Amino acid sequence: MVLSDLGRKLNAALSSLNRVSVVDEKVLDALLKEVCAALLESDVNVKLVSQLRQKVRIKVKAAFENSGEKSREANRKNVVQKAIFDELVNLVDPGIDPYKPKKGYTNVIMAVGLQGNGKTTTCTKLAVHYQKRGFKSSIVCADTFRAGAFDQTRQSATKAKVAYFGSYTETDPVAIAAQGVAKFKKEKFEVIIVDTSGRHKQESELFEEMKQIGSAVKPDMTVLVLDASIGQAAEAQSRAFKESADFGAIIVTKMDGHAKGGGAISAVAATKTPIIFLGTGEHLTDLDRFAPQPFISKLLG
Ligand code: GDP
């Protein structure tokens, strides 16, 4: 089920409350069943869904008990709707503020993620985003594994009028990353985005490379770029990257497609890391800032 369908289903479930005259345990159970089924169909992790159900039950029970017999029905409906809304927000809110680039300082951002997730595209989108906000921005292509990676960076950075660095001859990604960051720091760039490889002969070698690049460039923020369409696999993937490249933010790409989105959203809880942007298309401006509450409000329509 794609995200817009999830929104519609959640909305329909919540609105169904307005048609009942008495909100009792049976009504709450039926409602929660609908909400949880919709979340599961969207690939949200089963454990998270059952936690959500528990938390809503506890909150609602406590509120009903406190308000006593005289509590008006309309108020009981509000209590239930608010409890579900708040727990949906909690699902995408780890309660941690992501790093915010500072003006007049060289903010180094390192992007990690498996090949095909949209990392290179996202690096340029990020550079465009910060450039528009007055940060002198640049991209370093430290992906020496994929033939054509540097050409892709060169083309998109040129199109976006963003400075870039890479090499056709240097084969050591750590050396390129270090050289690029040193050059742009010297030139007083305020945002330096380091694009890394997303594939290796062995996955363990990729993770080792992430560690080495991380030690060489000391990023202020490492971002995991995650494809919304990978579903439940997002959790294992994000955990593996968390260990090697302790990322502090997530960007979920391809939210414009037919992705269910719930899997990538579950990655937030699995790694207790905030989502900062959503990729919503192939164009350089298709990047939406992510905030938990507005996201859930918009989802519910
Ligand atoms: P990388 O291997 O992780 O660097 O991935 P790329 O940046 O090369 O992207 C892989 C493909 O995904 C390309 O065709 C991109 O145009 C596409 N892509 C990246 N982000 C998005 C997005 O948010 N929406 C859509 N529809 N396509 C995207």
Side-chain angles (χ1 to χ4, degrees), residues 114-122 125 146 152 195 253-256 279-282 286:
L114 291 188
Q115 180 167 313
N117 279 5
K119 197 158 25 67
T120 303
T121 310
T122 303
K125 285 181 180 179
R146 181 163 62 102
Q152 191 185 338
D195 188 6
T253 61
K254 309 187 193 178
M255 289 296 282
D256 52 308
T280 55
E282 296 190 75
D286 294 335

Side-chain angles (χ1 to χ4, degrees), residues 12-21 23 27-28 31 76-78 80-81:
L14 289 173
S15 327
S16 72
L17 269 188
N18 299 329
R19 290 193 295 276
V20 299
S21 49
V23 181
V27 169
L28 178 65
L31 172 61
R76 289 172 79 109
K77 285 172 191 169
N78 286 345
V80 172
Q81 282 169 334

Side-chain angles (χ1 to χ4, degrees), residues 276-290:
I276 53 170
F277 289 102
L278 300 177
T280 55
E282 296 190 75
H283 297 290
L284 294 179
T285 49
D286 294 335
L287 189 71
D288 291 351
R289 213 187 263 278
F290 179 91

